[in-house]
Amino acid sequence: MSAMGNARAWSGWTLYAIVLFVLPMVFTDPHTRLLLILITMYGMLAQGWNLTLGFAGIFNFAQIAFFGVGAYTTGILATRTGIDPWLALPISGVSAVLASLVAFLPVLRLRGIYVGLATYVFSQLCIYLVLGQAGLTGGSNGIVGIPRLTLGETSLRADGRVGYYYLGAALLFAATLLVRLITRSTLGLSLLAIRDNEALATSRGVSRVRQHLIVFMIGAAVAGVAGGFNAFLNGVVSTDVFGFGYLTLLLSMIFLGGSGSVYGPIAGAVVVTVVADALQDAGAWRDIAIAMLILVVLWVAPKGLAGLARSLPVPPLRRAGAAAPTPTTVKEKR
Amino acid sequence: MSGISAILTSTLVLGGLYLLMAAGLTLIWSTLRVFNFGHGALLMFGAYLSWTLLERAGLPLLIALVGGVLAMALVGVVYELLLVSPFIRRPNGDMLVMVATLAATMLLQSGALLLWGPEIKQIPRLGSARVELGGAVAEGTQLVTIVLAPVLVGLLALVLKRTGIGLTVRALEQNREHAQLLGISPRRVYLFVVIVAIGLAAVAGVLLGSIRFISPGMGDDPLLRAFVVLAFGGAGSLGGTIAGAYAIGLLEAVTTYYFGLSWSPVLVFLAMIVIMLARPEGLLRSQVRSA
């Protein structure tokens, strides 16, 4: 990477951090703060899912299950054990990774659409297991009374949940950085190679199972931590976390933003969260609007916002740094 | 023994319902090479349409039910034009269709909620026939399901085997390029396939709406079971689907009888995952037809 490209990348990341830092100071009312928190959580989830769905091209519909497993892990740990609540977050990531090992079993021998069926069934299986183990999970009542996270003496809920916002923002920043590093690494390149020409990639010594397993586990870890975050934020966990609502919401974010793009899902998370909130009182119309959003994006711009941004005329500034691989070039090499 | 005969009735009813669902999914899968996630929602919509024709328009039972199924065939035309054909030729088209039909599910379920409200509805019992066999009783809609499902799917098999359109469907299944060289238009065949599949799902919806209730989420469970049937019988073969549907019906009836309603789906899904690991091409298929 050229020195100039390096400088551009650094300034981009610094700007991203500054924006995330300043946002809650601009928007101070509790409702907008909550929206910001949801955006960080959805952004994190959408990016984690995009690793498998977008970059690796695996029909992974179990991501919601990993989110749910994370949420339930935090819920159970925080209400039934005396564990430090902060430890529950990383442990939720670990338990989601363990779940992903089970969900990965069908991926070993199946391809394409069959993986979609098996992973979707896996997430339904999680619902039945949670309902069946009512002693541990509260069954259909869910888990209530999850204690809030505190930092020293201050609750993260204080001052319009600003603590939760900064936790979410830090996690989102970390997730973005992680996705960015992966897409630049040999792992990321080999995933694209497998997705676009599996026979050739395998013949060059790339192991499909190993690379897919790694990215599956990383994506699950991100979702698990996000699930734990969600449990602390709401104070309750129910089987909704495995539900259709989250699934379609996240899919609309990924495809609106652009599957297979690093930053697209964040843009998608912003737009969809705001739209969904604006239609909060519209009942079933809200779901209709989100479904139509998915369909229109698929019809009109199958590469999403990221694809539209790429097709804009190149500004002069960009051309000057053209030697540096921009995040989009990885995708354009297909 | 009443236990065994109760299981038998349950197997035939469940198997018939899953057969109607899975046969359509298999047909779409083998010709279009895409998966219709919206099949459960279409089942639900068919049930609501028939209910409306029956209760609101006051039509006689048989006419209302047939009308509902025919109306769903029209919905099938729109479905194919909007959700399948725009994506099927694009790179990564199978994932796009999967996501599009998932969005369609959301659209249909929310639409049903708006049109018909949240209170559950029911289609009255179909007929008053009653057959008693070794202590087990099958009556009304159950009896209709036991007979109608295999008859309809048998008819479909016959159409595929004997008629001109059936021949073109099979030609496209086996080799798309060669079929096109012979002057077969894929679009016409796709439309036929989608209409037939959705029609069968609508029949399943009517039957299920009479055996149980009609609600916006009524199609979710049958869709999941149809997944399992596909895994079991191998997607893309009608014979495998028929055997798979009744095998899953039997498995569900037995596990429900001995382990209860909450454990039965877990065991059924576990069986599916094990089968997929051991025989990815489907338990009942000896060879995989090349795509």
Side-chain angles (χ1 to χ4, degrees):
Chain A
M1 191 188 278
S2 71
M4 194 168 173
N6 238 333
R8 275 168 46 85
W10 277 111
S11 57
W13 286 103
T14 316
L15 189 68
Y16 183 34
I18 290 174
V19 168
L20 283 179
F21 188 75
V22 172
L23 270 176
M25 299 168 192
V26 181
F27 301 101
T28 49
D29 69 297
H31 183 72
T32 318
R33 283 268 176 85
L34 183 60
L35 273 188
L36 288 177
I37 298 171
L38 288 179
I39 287 173
T40 60
M41 186 187 81
Y42 285 134
M44 188 176 13
L45 268 171
Q47 283 199 314
W49 197 358
N50 197 24
L51 275 177
T52 40
L53 197 68
F55 288 108
I58 308 171
F59 283 48
N60 168 20
F61 286 86
Q63 195 73 9
I64 281 301
F66 306 149
F67 174 67
V69 167
Y72 267 95
T73 306
T74 291
I76 291 168
L77 285 178
T79 54
R80 290 180 183 266
T81 66
I83 197 171
D84 180 359
W86 284 99
L87 272 178
L89 278 180
I91 296 177
S92 295
V94 171
S95 73
V97 169
L98 293 179
S100 78
L101 293 180
V102 180
F104 190 77
L105 283 177
V107 186
L108 285 175
R109 293 193 64 179
L110 301 172
R111 292 291 194 281
I113 219 97
Y114 290 93
V115 175
L117 299 192
T119 47
Y120 188 78
V121 165
F122 176 80
S123 55
Q124 298 299 312
L125 196 62
C126 288
I127 298 184
Y128 285 112
L129 282 175
V130 164
L131 292 177
Q133 298 292 314
L136 189 64
T137 61
S140 51
N141 295 326
I143 299 173
V144 291
I146 298 167
R148 308 288 175 185
L149 281 173
T150 53
L151 202 63
E153 292 294 298
T154 349
S155 164
L156 261 59
R157 253 183 96 76
D159 189 19
R161 298 195 184 88
V162 74
Y164 279 111
Y165 171 78
Y166 279 120
L167 177 59
L171 291 173
L172 174 64
F173 189 84
T176 316
L177 198 63
L178 181 72
V179 172
R180 184 75 164 76
L181 289 175
I182 289 174
T183 53
R184 282 290 179 75
S185 68
T186 48
L187 170 65
L189 293 175
S190 67
L191 287 175
L192 295 189
I194 297 168
R195 181 189 71 185
D196 295 337
N197 192 336
E198 186 182 329
L200 185 62
T202 317
S203 74
R204 303 289 293 175
V206 178
S207 159
R208 177 189 78 95
V209 168
R210 203 189 72 197
Q211 306 300 77
H212 277 184
L213 179 61
I214 294 172
V215 77
F216 218 74
M217 287 164 65
I218 295 174
V222 173
V225 173
F229 178 76
N230 184 55
F232 279 125
L233 180 67
N234 291 335
V236 290
V237 179
S238 73
T239 47
D240 287 354
V241 288
F242 297 105
F244 209 61
Y246 279 109
L247 182 79
T248 43
L249 217 52
L250 286 168
L251 278 179
S252 64
M253 288 168 189
I254 292 174
F255 281 88
L256 174 67
S259 65
S261 134
V262 177
Y263 309 105
I266 301 175
V270 174
V271 174
V272 175
T273 310
V274 171
V275 168
D277 175 69
L279 297 171
Q280 195 64 55
D281 301 324
W285 285 108
R286 169 175 169 252
D287 291 345
I288 290 186
I290 290 171
M292 284 311 295
L293 185 69
I294 298 180
L295 289 175
V296 169
V297 168
L298 290 181
W299 284 323
V300 180
K303 291 192 180 213
L305 293 175
L308 290 180
R310 238 169 274 159
S311 61
L312 291 178
V314 183
L317 186 79
R318 177 94 169 250
R319 207 172 285 139
T326 57
T328 57
T329 50
V330 177
K331 176 83 199 244
E332 278 163 4
K333 273 180 193 155
R334 345 179 19 175
Chain B
M1 241 194 83
S2 74
I4 288 180
S5 44
I7 288 176
L8 188 70
T9 318
S10 186
T11 301
L12 291 175
V13 172
L14 291 173
L17 287 173
Y18 301 159
L19 178 58
L20 289 171
M21 282 291 280
L25 280 177
T26 298
L27 197 60
I28 292 183
W29 167 253
S30 61
T31 44
L32 279 76
R33 297 270 147 215
V34 296
F35 186 79
N36 179 21
F37 234 112
H39 223 64
L42 290 163
L43 171 151
M44 172 273 297
F45 222 74
Y48 270 114
L49 281 182
S50 296
W51 180 87
T52 307
L53 290 178
L54 183 70
E55 299 286 331
R56 291 271 180 273
L59 293 174
L61 187 65
L62 192 65
I63 296 178
L65 301 186
V66 172
V69 173
L70 290 181
M72 284 311 288
L74 280 181
V75 173
V77 175
V78 180
Y79 201 84
E80 202 276 338
L81 289 179
L82 292 184
L83 299 175
V84 179
S85 56
F87 305 118
I88 196 163
R89 292 201 184 289
R90 297 216 196 130
N92 203 14
D94 42 0
M95 190 185 276
L96 293 181
V97 172
M98 200 155 164
V99 175
T101 53
L102 208 59
T105 301
M106 200 174 171
L107 209 59
L108 287 170
Q109 287 189 350
S110 319
L113 200 61
L114 284 175
L115 286 172
W116 288 288
E119 63 273 13
I120 51 176
K121 311 204 166 5
Q122 195 175 23
I123 290 174
R125 224 169 68 167
L126 307 178
S128 52
R130 181 188 159 97
V131 171
E132 205 171 325
L133 207 116
V137 183
E139 54 186 342
T141 313
Q142 290 185 322
L143 206 60
V144 175
T145 308
I146 291 174
V147 177
L148 190 62
V151 166
L152 282 180
V153 175
L155 215 59
L156 173 65
L158 208 65
V159 165
L160 289 181
K161 199 147 192 96
R162 290 293 159 87
T163 64
I165 183 91
L167 206 65
T168 54
V169 171
R170 282 189 295 139
L172 265 170
E173 258 176 44
Q174 285 168 13
N175 193 322
R176 192 181 290 182
E177 282 73 30
H178 275 208
Q180 281 177 284
L181 277 178
L182 289 171
I184 293 169
S185 149
R187 284 301 301 278
R188 227 188 78 215
V189 176
Y190 292 167
L191 207 55
F192 168 78
V193 162
V194 171
I195 289 174
V196 168
I198 291 180
L200 288 178
V203 173
V206 168
L207 295 171
L208 199 63
S210 170
I211 294 175
R212 292 177 200 162
F213 297 99
I214 306 179
S215 70
M218 71 182 281
D220 296 354
D221 268 9
L223 180 69
L224 281 170
R225 299 306 190 284
F227 285 0
V228 185
V229 171
L230 292 200
F232 197 84
S237 100
L238 205 52
T241 306
I242 295 170
Y246 286 105
I248 297 303
L250 177 66
L251 185 62
E252 191 170 339
V254 169
T255 50
T256 307
Y257 191 81
Y258 289 106
F259 300 98
L261 263 176
S262 60
W263 280 107
S264 165
V266 175
L267 294 170
V268 170
F269 291 153
L270 282 180
M272 167 187 171
I273 289 178
V274 170
I275 292 165
M276 280 188 148
L277 274 176
R279 292 286 299 268
E281 68 277 17
L283 196 64
L284 302 168
R285 295 193 70 193
S286 49
Q287 59 184 36
V288 188
R289 191 189 288 159
S290 63

